[in-house]
Every structure is written in C-alpha cells, then in structure tokens.
Amino acid sequence: MAMQTSHSVLSLRRCSPFTKSSSFSIVDLHRCSSIELSSLFHFTKFYIYPRSTFCTQSKRRSRGPVMAAKKESKGTKQGDGKYKHTVDLPKTTFGMRANSAVREPEIQKLWDENQVFKKVSETNNGGSFILHDGPPYANGDLHMGHALNKIIKDIINKYKLLQNCEVRYVPGWDCHGLPIELKVLQSLDQDTRNGLTPIKLRAKAARFAIATVKAQMASFKRFGVWADWDHPYLTLDPEYEAAQIEVFGQMVFKGYIYRGRKPVHWSPSSRTALAEAELEYPEGHVSKSMYAIFKVLNTPSECGLLDEFPKLSLAIWTTTPWTIPANAAVAVNSKLEYAIVEVQSPSDVDSSSEDGKKRFGSVLKSQEKPFFIVALDLVSTLEAKWGVKLVVKRTVLGSDLENCRYAHPINGEECPVVIGGDYITTESGTGLVHTAPGHGQDDYVTGLKYGLPLVSPVDDEGKFTEEAGVFSGLDVLGDGNIAVIDHLDQRSSIVLVEPYKHKYPYDWRTKQPTIFRATAQWFASVEGFRDAAMEAINQVKWTPPQAETRISTMTSSRSDWCISRQRTWGVPIPVFYHAETKEPLLNEETVEHIKSIISQKGSDAWWYMSVEELLLEKYRDKASDYVKGTDTMDVWFDSGSSWAAVLGTRDGLKYPADLYVEGTDQHRGWFQSSLLTSVATKGKAPYKGVITHGFVLDERGFKMSKSLGNVVDPHTIIEGGPNKEQAPSYGADVLRLWVSSVDYTGDVLIGQQVLRQMSDIYRKLRGTLRFLLGNLHDWKTENAIAYDELPEIDQHALYQLESVVTNIKESYESYQFFKIFQVIQRFAIVDLSNFYFDVAKDRLYVGGATSFTRRSCQTVLAVHLLSLVKVIAPILPHLAEDVWQNLPFGYNIDNTDVAKFVFESKWPAVNERWLAFPEEEIDLWGKILELRTEVNKALETARTGKLIGSSLEAKVYLYSSDDNLGVRLRNMCESKIDADSLHRIFITSQVEILSNLEDATGENIPYTGEYVIEGEKKIWIGVSRAEGSKCERCWNFSTQVGSFVDHPTLCKRCYDVVADQPLPALAAVS
C-alpha cells in the first residue's frame, strides 16, 4: 500500500478537523450495547503473538492497482499506470512516524493553550470523580515508580472524563521531613552547618522543596498527565499546615493524643524517632546473637528447684546483647513446658567453631556440670547448636517459674521471672526471653503489667549513657555490643555467640540500622479508635482484594503511633512546657490560637516568634514560665492530613474521595495514616476505594540501583539518552503503553527489550489508525449507509467492534488496563489488519469512489476510527489527539457542537442494534474466518508449487459435508452484494461450491485438502488457476475481460467504474 502523505509537519491549527466543512456523528448509525467478547472471538484470554503467527498467507498477494500506481509514480512507462487516476489510494496528513520528541510537546501545548482539561471537566455533567493524589517527596528526580503511579492515575482520570464525569485532580507534594533536611545538610560544608540556625535551615529546606516541586511537575506534565498544575497542594503551604494543626487538635481533645516515655524506633544516624512506615528491612543484615545464662537466686517454695539443683541458671537468647544493661526481667510462656537440663561433656568444646564464626563462651569450658532451664521442645535443637549433651532432669510449666528471682548479669541486682505473651515461642532461642522494657514493644507491655523499671541508658547518637556504667560512651551497635558480650563472658555468663542473619529495621533515608529506645514522645493512641478503623476498612473497595487483608492485619496489630520527631524541618507540635514542672500547656484555646498564627504566617512563626507572642493574651503574663516544644510532627501525619487540608477545603472536591492510588508500601504509610487521622476525627475512611500497585523492577526482576547499573530512567525513555541507538527517544505514549500492558497489582518489569516490544506495538497501532484515516480522506456524513443496507461482512464488523468496546469499558471500570492492552493489540493490530482491512482494500481502492461497496466500507471504517481513538485516548492521549487533529471530517457532540479535541467527544455510545447481530450469523462468520485460514494454507501450497503467484490468480473450490453450511456458502458465492462474495473474502478471483466431490473429478484441480469442523463434519478445498484473463485495473481474473471494445483490458466491475471517467490526455494517446 502506498500512502499519499505530506512529509511536512503541519501545524495543529492547519490540520485541525473543526476547520472542515463536513462533520460526522456516530449517532447517525444508531448506537447500541454489548455481549461477551469470548463469544465473538471464541477465546477467553488475550496473548501477545508475533505477527507471523497469524500471517500464514505471507507473500501470496499483490495489489494490482497499488502496484500500478507506484510504478507510475516512479517514472515507469505510462501504460503501466493507464487507470491510475481511477484508483482511490489512501491520503492523509497523519505521518507514520510518531516523531514524539517534537509532536508530543506540540500536542501538550495545544491542550494547555485551550485549557482542555479544565473545559472538558467543567462541561461534563455526569457527576464528580475525585482521585486524591498521594504526595511524593519533593527531594529528587522522578523514577519509574513515580511514572507508574502518576500514569495509572492519569489513565483513570482521562477515562472518567470520557465518561462525562467532572474530574478534579489536584497534585500534591510532601515538602517536610528528614529526606529534604538531609538533602540540604549534605549540600553544605561543615562551617556552614555549624552556623545554621533552625530558621535558616527551614528557609533553605523550603527553597529546595519548592525548586524540586517545579522540576518534578515539569516531568509529570511531560508524561502527559493532566492535573490542576496551577494550584497544587504543598504540605508547606500555611493553609495546609493550619488544617494539619486542626486535625492534631481534634485528636487531642478526643483523648487520642498523649505524651509518654516508651520505646520507639530510633535512628541514631538521623537522631530522631521513626514511624514503622519510615523503616525498611533490607536482606542480608547479620546480628551477633548470644546465648547467655542468668544465675537463679531463689524460687517459690512450692517449686523447690534450688534445693534439687543448686547451680541453676536461666538460659536466654538475644540478637541485641547491647540491651542487657537495661534488663529488668526474664519472661516465659505460662503454657510452655520447660526442662531443667544437666549440661554434660562441656570440657570437650573448643573456644571457636571450625568455620570461625561461632564463639563458645566460658560456661561450656567449665569443669562443673551446670543446670539450665530451657524450653523442653528446644532441648534437641540446643544440643546440636551447643555441641553438648543436655540431660533432662525435670520438667515444669512456665507458670511454675513465675516469681523466681535471678541475679542481673552485670550489676547483680535481683530480678524477677515474669509471664510474657504469645510472642514467646519455641521457633528459636531457648523459650526464655530477656526483657528490657526500655528497648522493645513486647517487653514494654510486659513491663507495664509487672511494674518493671523503664531503663534505657542510650543517648540520641546511639551511645551508652553514664547510666550504663563501664559501657558509657560506647556505640551500642558497634563497640558497645562487643563490650557487653566480653563483659558477660568474663563473668561466666556466655554459652555461645554466633552470627544471625535476619530482617532488621533500617532508617529508610540514611540506610543505617535503627534501635528501640525509650524516649519521651507524643503518641496517637490507636487503641482508642482501632475498632472504628477496622470497620471503616470494611466499607472501602480495595483493589486488588488482598490489599484489604494486608491493611487490616497491619491496623489490628499496630501499636500506638509515635507522631513526634526531633527535627527542625516540619510542622511543630503546638505545645508549651512549664520550665520547672515540664507539664505541657495544650488545650483547645492554645491550639486554635497557634493554628490562626500559622494559617497567616506559616509554621516558621513557631521558630521566629517568642513564647509571649505565641501565647494567648491570658497566658502572656506567665510567658517566662514556659518554653516552646521543639518536636515536629511525623511527616506521615503531614500527608495523612491531606484529606482535611485539600478534600475538605477546596471548591470542587469532596470528602471522602472516590479513590486513592499508591504503591503497596503505603498500606503502612499514607493509606494508614490517612485512615487513622480521618477515623479518629470524622469516624470514617477518607476514601471510598483504594488501588495499590507493586514496585518497578528491571527486566530480570531485580530491584533497580545505581550500583548495579540497572536503573531505567523515565526521562531517558521519553527523550532518549546521549547514545540514541542504545537509548532511543520513545516518547511518553510508549511509556504509558507499557504501564497499560502490565498487571500492576504485583511487581512489574521494564528494560530495553520490553520498551522495544512496546514501541513496535505502538508503531503497528499507529499504522492501523493511519490506514483508517487514509481511507476516509473523502468521507462525508451524508455518505453513510444505513445499517440495514450494509453488507453482512460490515454488520459483522460492527458487532465485533461493539463487543470489543464493551469489553474495554468493563476493563477500564475494573482498572484492569492490561486486559485493554491485550484486547487492543489483538483486535486493532492483528484481527482488523489480517481480515477486515485486508479484504476491504479491494473495494476501497478499485470499487469506485462513490460506489455503494466503498461507501459501506467507509461507513464501518469511520465508526472504527472514532471508537478506537476514543478507547485508546486515556492510555495514549498524544496518539489519540494526533489522530483527532488529522480527522478528514468533523465530529459533532450529540449532533450539536463540533468536538475540537478527542476528550470532548465522550465515550462511544452503546449500540444495542449492532450487538443484536443474530447468533447464527455470528456462528457462520466464525466458520468463515476459520475456513479462510485453511484456504490461505491451500493457496500458499499452490504458490509454493508455482501454480499461482498472487492469490488473485487462483480459483477455489469448496465442498462441505454439512448441507446447511454448503447452502450458506453457495448463497455467499451468488450474493448480489459484492462485498459478501466469498471470492472477495478469500481475495481470489473465483470461488465455486461443489454439490458433491464427484464434480471435482472433471476439473483440473491440482491442489486439494480438507479440514474438520465441529468434530466430524469436513470441508474439502481445491485450488486451480483462475478462469479468464487478468483485469489491468484490479488484477482480478475474469472471463469478461476483453468484452468491452473501449476498455478491452477491464473486467465488468472496473468497466462500470471507469466508463464515465475521461482518461488523462497522455494515457488516452498511448
């Protein structure tokens, strides 16, 4: 096919469809609804196949009129193109090459200049749709996770626009917190850091955040994402901060906020408390685990263990030896059975293992035979690990051990044995748990139950304080840990030290390990509204469904939320402390007053205004008695208040939002913090629906990292890298096509091979749309053929299209974009090209410009073009708009205004009539398509055998053992509607239906075969040379060629087309 196309890039205004005089509306063709796609194609799943899978007829066709026209254009002898002027070749200004680096920005500029998003949303009247944006951190360039997230959101929003919804999408950014503070500090030299006051640091952090927001916004726009970019929400905006303070205040007054000293995740590298959502658990962490013994001092009289075993000790196991100085008890499980074991043959134990990783302690080197208490179920495991024989002397229940007393292994103080919770198991360790309430959540709870002392001799830097005695000043995660082990070993308390590989919490920003440390912090008591939160979760639609289980588990088991941070860059916790008593001044009046100040001046006011200025007038005479708090709020409280600061305050938005969309890590992050703040203050979730997506990995399934060199940059995908051969410019639509192709509910893969595949699919889809545009260059609304008058092949094509559009809509509604990708690839790229377009070329090119057969085909093509460009628009908006701006006809919205842009056109209206195509006809066309495949195989065999070259040189014979099918095939051979004729469908010159196989014996049919349909019935296929002579214009063979004196080289059809058309002068002379 030779497209007649301009190579110059036309401006969008010059080729805009609304400047055309003609217009077209699909309403003219009586729209209707849909059926299951599986009944149409006889398959239930779509897969990506190479084109060759469906093209068994390769090399078998030659396009007569096209080839003639091409020869003429290349300067071959004039006679070859005698009828060239009568051939209707495709014409379009729509280029085959996307030229995305130039064309996409042009289209985006067109959208911006015409405010398309705003106008379409304001014009729509089908109800509002609010997708609330989760704010990314304003601390660096965008990565593939950002691209996946924002494009998923944009696909949803653009689909809702086509569904006539008023879409309001406000983009947001998280601008506070340690990530930004660290970026600023890292950019400064030491002298500058030393001279940095809090207000100067905050100013630098604000400038950095705003600059990053600007850069990220430009990248999001380049993705083709539509949003209210002129009015984003930033968590550093005064009005946002004021709304956050209000949420905090409401939680205070309802009794959900309290100040307490309890263990929290503490980052020595960041010197601040962390929430669970600020932690990561990298693979490969190795701790020094330790088996140690604590000497029993006395036991309850009814137990009498010391009378029987005077050298009795409790055996414990821990992966944090540095917490031993804070030990306050040993916990056991009351339901477990414990054994008093005698350690035999300890003197045979070497000081270290063969691999040098294990270190045996002095206990096992002693000549004495000590007695240990361990869980009975762990005796054999401990024998193997310690390399000794443990002889069980007696068993007791855990409940019998309560109130035993032992000597603290460092200071010798008397400590109790207590009953712990279900966290004490026999999966590892000894079944007895060293308990330090100042360094663990379970330990803390147990400590509250027994009134144990809360000891935490560790400072902000993660070093032992003077309270730790001989260990003072040592790093608990380094030298301090080793020192504790050595100290215990010197006191004959170590059994074994060995490395232990496990998941351990790290600060997700500094990538350094954290510790549990008791400090005075502000907490949100989740227990106070946990049941309400669980009920709210049940009212939300979660996609995928398993997301509900995940957040339910996290919410039901989570401890109180530590909301205070020891940082400068954030929203202050608006509390004053009495200078002497340390009692907080925090009430409704003070919070409201601080809120009003921050709403006008921003949170910087907390730092630059004096206590007297910040206090209410009634307290100012006592200002000297108070100091400002220095804690800021957890950034998850910042972003978790966005429903109040954005949804609850902005015009056009609503609370709760229709949808939240973020990654799976947000079950413990934004999804949860938003849920907790909303339920605590409003009693319901801030969202009606939640979609979660996985992470983006490289093509091999590995996490991307600069060290591995496997990072895929979205900017490079769109604009290309320095080496365009290795990293070509694919454009935003190819990136968006990739997003639509993956099942984002799990982790997804991307790399150069994947991108090349996406680019190839995009190119083929563009070719399909170009074919449609090119063959509608002379189309006008008045040319449309009424549905009842359409050939059956065209009615069947409309049935297929309507089924596909319905299927795609269902997939959009369920947010399963990968199914849409599969449907579009199969239908638009494979099925249409291989059948309908292939068959249609004959009547489009040589059927006659104004003939019924060409007009009926154009009627169907126009519907296909408009439907396809609409259904792909949410995924490929640039391609869809590019097509729309090159429409050769205008399109009316509801038969009134012309749609100047594709998103003004609305979703294709449902057409029940097209779907009412009779079941028996659907079945017949299914058989014809199968038969066509088999005929193509027979033609290919004949071509290989040199009987024919082009399929038009063939005549096909058919015999069906199914009489009913035979009758239908004969009727199609004799059809008065040329488009429904079998020889047009097979692209051969003739087809003959035989009454019986005996009729074939008298024919010269050198190639035969048969295939089975529906299990038993067969169709016999024969191929011979076509009868008659070759038509010069259409290359079909006909016995009528030579019958027309003035056009002796034409068949009857071509003669009728050209008879009334004067030949060009040169052609007439020749």
Side-chain angles (χ1 to χ4, degrees), residues 705-983:
S705 71
K706 292 181 179 179
S707 60
L708 293 177
N710 64 343
V711 174
V712 179
D713 178 18
H715 175 79
T716 302
I717 292 175
I718 294 173
E719 303 295 349
N723 187 331
K724 289 297 189 285
E725 290 186 3
Q726 294 181 357
S729 168
Y730 289 110
D733 271 0
V734 169
L735 178 61
R736 296 175 67 100
L737 186 63
W738 166 76
V739 171
S740 77
S741 73
V742 297
D743 182 357
Y744 59 74
T745 57
D747 291 343
V748 298
L749 310 182
I750 193 169
Q752 284 303 315
Q753 183 176 351
V754 172
L755 289 169
R756 283 192 292 269
Q757 291 173 350
M758 291 300 111
S759 179
D760 187 53
I761 293 168
Y762 171 86
R763 180 180 55 80
K764 291 176 180 178
L765 177 58
R766 189 176 181 90
T768 295
L769 295 170
R770 187 169 185 260
F771 176 88
L772 290 166
L773 285 169
N775 284 289
L776 292 168
H777 64 89
D778 58 345
W779 170 254
K780 292 181 176 60
T781 307
E782 55 269 26
N783 297 337
I785 304 298
Y787 178 81
D788 290 336
E789 300 175 20
L790 291 175
E792 279 196 20
I793 188 175
D794 293 337
Q795 292 183 358
H796 179 253
L798 291 177
Y799 161 75
Q800 286 185 310
L801 174 66
E802 190 66 17
S803 298
V804 164
V805 171
T806 300
N807 180 275
I808 289 175
K809 181 180 179 181
E810 291 171 356
S811 296
Y812 270 124
E813 291 288 345
S814 62
Y815 308 117
Q816 294 178 303
F817 308 136
F818 70 96
K819 291 185 176 180
I820 300 170
F821 169 83
Q822 292 166 350
V823 170
I824 290 174
Q825 185 189 11
R826 177 64 187 259
F827 177 70
I829 298 176
V830 177
D831 291 330
L832 277 179
S833 296
N834 281 7
F835 175 59
Y836 191 78
F837 288 178
D838 205 26
V839 172
K841 290 173 185 176
D842 181 82
R843 51 176 167 153
L844 287 171
Y845 300 165
V846 296
T850 59
S851 66
F852 167 84
T853 189
R854 185 166 184 269
R855 292 305 190 206
S856 66
C857 185
Q858 286 184 310
T859 300
V860 174
L861 293 185
V863 175
H864 274 71
L865 175 60
L866 293 169
S867 295
L868 284 177
V869 77
K870 292 178 185 183
V871 300
I872 69 168
I875 295 171
L876 302 171
H878 304 94
L879 174 59
E881 193 65 75
D882 203 1
V883 170
W884 201 263
Q885 298 303 322
N886 281 279
L887 284 179
F889 51 84
Y891 174 77
N892 288 342
I893 311 170
D894 298 327
N895 290 321
T896 55
D897 297 331
V898 173
K900 299 178 181 180
F901 306 97
V902 66
F903 286 96
E904 291 180 338
S905 65
K906 305 295 187 295
W907 187 261
V910 179
N911 193 313
E912 298 291 349
R913 191 175 186 187
W914 295 351
L915 285 173
F917 194 63
E919 286 290 337
E920 60 272 17
E921 295 303 311
I922 296 172
D923 181 63
L924 172 66
W925 279 95
K927 292 176 181 176
I928 289 172
L929 289 173
E930 292 179 16
L931 177 59
R932 185 173 184 266
T933 300
E934 299 302 317
V935 168
N936 286 342
K937 293 177 182 178
L939 292 171
E940 184 65 18
T941 302
R943 190 193 66 80
T944 303
K946 308 298 184 183
L947 176 70
I948 61 173
S950 160
S951 62
L952 292 175
E953 297 175 11
K955 177 178 181 179
V956 172
Y957 299 84
L958 300 175
Y959 167 74
S960 173
S961 61
D962 181 339
D963 293 338
N964 291 331
L965 179 59
V967 171
R968 293 301 305 271
L969 293 176
R970 181 172 286 104
N971 291 340
M972 291 184 72
C973 275
E974 299 170 357
S975 174
K976 295 181 180 179
I977 301 178
D978 186 67
D980 288 336
S981 298
L982 274 183
H983 74 281

Side-chain angles (χ1 to χ4, degrees), residues 104-153:
E104 287 181 349
E106 287 180 349
I107 291 171
Q108 291 172 4
K109 183 180 179 182
L110 180 74
W111 289 333
D112 290 342
E113 289 176 345
N114 291 275
Q115 296 184 300
V116 176
F117 176 39
K118 180 181 178 182
K119 289 180 180 178
V120 171
S121 183
E122 291 175 349
T123 304
N124 287 351
N125 55 14
S128 68
F129 176 79
I130 306 301
L131 192 163
H132 183 42
D133 190 34
Y137 274 122
N139 69 326
D141 295 331
L142 300 184
H143 53 67
M144 284 304 304
H146 291 114
L148 176 68
N149 177 260
K150 274 295 195 288
I151 291 173
I152 288 173
K153 293 174 181 176

Side-chain angles (χ1 to χ4, degrees), residues 407-451:
H408 192 288
I410 294 177
N411 59 34
E413 293 182 359
E414 195 173 287
C415 300
V417 174
V418 298
I419 302 299
D422 294 335
Y423 62 90
I424 302 174
T425 68
T426 56
E427 293 180 2
S428 60
T430 65
L432 296 91
V433 176
H434 141 61
T435 299
H439 292 299
Q441 181 59 33
D442 291 329
D443 297 19
Y444 175 77
V445 173
T446 301
L448 289 178
K449 178 181 175 183
Y450 285 90

Side-chain angles (χ1 to χ4, degrees), residues 591-804:
V591 171
E592 184 62 31
H593 182 61
I594 297 302
K595 172 194 164 187
S596 65
I597 291 174
I598 287 178
S599 68
Q600 299 171 28
K601 301 181 179 181
S603 59
D604 279 351
W606 185 260
W607 276 265
Y608 69 72
M609 292 178 68
S610 66
V611 173
E612 184 176 359
E613 292 172 316
L614 290 168
L615 281 171
L616 279 166
E617 188 172 351
K618 62 188 287 188
Y619 296 109
R620 287 178 183 171
D621 59 336
K622 299 179 181 179
S624 60
D625 295 338
Y626 289 96
V627 294
K628 290 182 286 186
T630 57
D631 291 340
T632 55
M633 291 191 205
D634 175 15
V635 290
W636 292 110
F637 202 100
D638 286 26
S639 59
S641 303
S642 63
W643 58 266
V646 183
L647 298 177
T649 61
R650 297 210 181 187
D651 293 339
L653 301 184
K654 62 183 180 182
Y655 165 86
D658 293 298
L659 196 63
Y660 276 35
V661 181
E662 299 299 330
T664 55
D665 56 332
Q666 297 308 314
H667 288 107
R668 62 187 181 118
W670 189 57
F671 294 151
Q672 191 168 156
S673 64
S674 299
L675 174 76
L676 297 179
T677 54
S678 181
V679 171
T681 57
K682 300 294 184 181
K684 61 183 178 180
Y687 36 69
K688 297 177 183 177
V690 171
I691 294 176
T692 62
H693 59 76
F695 296 101
V696 183
L697 309 175
D698 73 3
E699 286 180 314
R700 297 176 298 168
F702 293 124
K703 183 179 179 180
M704 295 185 193
S705 71
K706 292 181 179 179
S707 60
L708 293 177
N710 64 343
V711 174
V712 179
D713 178 18
H715 175 79
T716 302
I717 292 175
I718 294 173
E719 303 295 349
N723 187 331
K724 289 297 189 285
E725 290 186 3
Q726 294 181 357
S729 168
Y730 289 110
D733 271 0
V734 169
L735 178 61
R736 296 175 67 100
L737 186 63
W738 166 76
V739 171
S740 77
S741 73
V742 297
D743 182 357
Y744 59 74
T745 57
D747 291 343
V748 298
L749 310 182
I750 193 169
Q752 284 303 315
Q753 183 176 351
V754 172
L755 289 169
R756 283 192 292 269
Q757 291 173 350
M758 291 300 111
S759 179
D760 187 53
I761 293 168
Y762 171 86
R763 180 180 55 80
K764 291 176 180 178
L765 177 58
R766 189 176 181 90
T768 295
L769 295 170
R770 187 169 185 260
F771 176 88
L772 290 166
L773 285 169
N775 284 289
L776 292 168
H777 64 89
D778 58 345
W779 170 254
K780 292 181 176 60
T781 307
E782 55 269 26
N783 297 337
I785 304 298
Y787 178 81
D788 290 336
E789 300 175 20
L790 291 175
E792 279 196 20
I793 188 175
D794 293 337
Q795 292 183 358
H796 179 253
L798 291 177
Y799 161 75
Q800 286 185 310
L801 174 66
E802 190 66 17
S803 298
V804 164

Side-chain angles (χ1 to χ4, degrees), residues 1042-1063:
S1043 303
F1044 312 104
V1045 176
D1046 46 349
H1047 295 285
T1049 60
L1050 300 185
C1051 64
K1052 176 65 166 62
R1053 180 187 60 169
C1054 289
Y1055 175 78
D1056 291 340
V1057 171
V1058 304
D1060 297 327
Q1061 297 185 30
L1063 291 175

